[in-house]
Amino acid sequence: MTHGIDPLDLAKALIAAPSVTPATGAVFDVLEAALTPLGFTVERFIDGIEPDGPVENLLAVRKGAGPVHFGFAGHLDVVPPGVGWTGDAFDPQVRGELLYGRGAVDMKGAIAAFAAAAAATPAEAGTISLIVTGDEEGPAIFGTRALMEHMDARGLRPDMILVGEPTSVQRLGDMMKIGRRGSVNIWIDVPGTQGHVAYPHLADNPIPKLVKILAAIDTVTLDEGTEWFQPSNIEFTDIEVGNGAHNVIPASARARLSIRFNDQQQGAALIEMIERIARDVDPGAKVVGKISGEAFLTPPGDLSALVAEAIHAETDIVPELSTTGGTSDARFLHALCPVVEFGLTNATMHKLDEAVAVEDLRTLAAIYRGVLMRALLD
Ligand SMILES: [Zn+2]
């Protein structure tokens, strides 16, 4: 007996279960109900407390006879709909050729497409797992990393993982991601001594020191980029003194910067470098950094080749292998095995009237099935 899944029907059911990040509950019920009849063993657990949680995570595994374990990773949480939708963001509607709803492309549509692909793949071909979190759009503290610990405790380690984020740009199939840049935010705080501008010898103005620090940082070239990555980039994002008085030397001056970096760099070393520059100017300067994720690269190889083949077979397009864009949960998963990302076109993600072409949902399901067959049987 086979249990076919229509990716449009499942995408609609997932959209109809509102799941603004962090997500728990109904949307996971929908996915579990779709996967269980396919022979998947579904485990769900809830982690974390407010405000970053609670977060629900789902791990679904279907053991196959073949030696390969293929993992598909994604998220069922969505960003808030915002005001101004033509219809209700959580009432999925097909108008013309498009399915509208929050999460249609990012990324309930892709999860529905993968479930349909798994339904159309013989169970004995090999092991398939779905690694699905409710905390990707939020701080991602209790999401994919918690799932990875859970898998580790079960002794489960996929041989390769496909992340279903919307990576296509103009047309389904034109881009996949083989890596992502890392991201770090850094705060600089230069202390001074407050005083009257007419008595500068009794005060210590932090502003010239901060300006010197920023000027020194501005001269830094981190690298020239690599074959697969654009150059790492330092971007100042804020300068703040907050001094409302024209006759007061302020007590402190602060600045913030954001670095998007390639695999030539590491977050901690970047923070140390900024700290060194700041301390050279003012030994009292305080520097605090927060790493959102390290850069990673899955060099072009078997996994990217088989995904590209499956894309080409269904669309006639040879996808560009890219490392552009923001971070994704692939930054955690690449610690397990080779990871690439491929999914729907991203033009409407996070926007009002997010929508996916119904045809793309069906084509994506066919591509994902092609990926599974190549990965499990070749
Ligand atoms: Zn996403």
Side-chain angles (χ1 to χ4, degrees), residues 18 154 158:
R154 294 276 186 290

Side-chain angles (χ1 to χ4, degrees), residues 11 13 19-20 51 70 95 115 188 221 235 245 256 271 275 283 333 350 372:
S19 56
V20 172
F70 187 92
R95 296 199 295 276
I188 302 168
T221 300
E235 214 52 57
R256 194 178 66 219
I271 297 168
E275 188 165 32
L333 294 163
H350 294 204
L372 282 173

Side-chain angles (χ1 to χ4, degrees), residues 75 77 105-107 136-137 164-166 349-350:
H75 62 90
D77 58 327
V105 294
D106 187 12
M107 56 171 277
E136 196 274 343
E137 301 290 7
E165 289 288 345
M349 70 186 213
H350 294 204

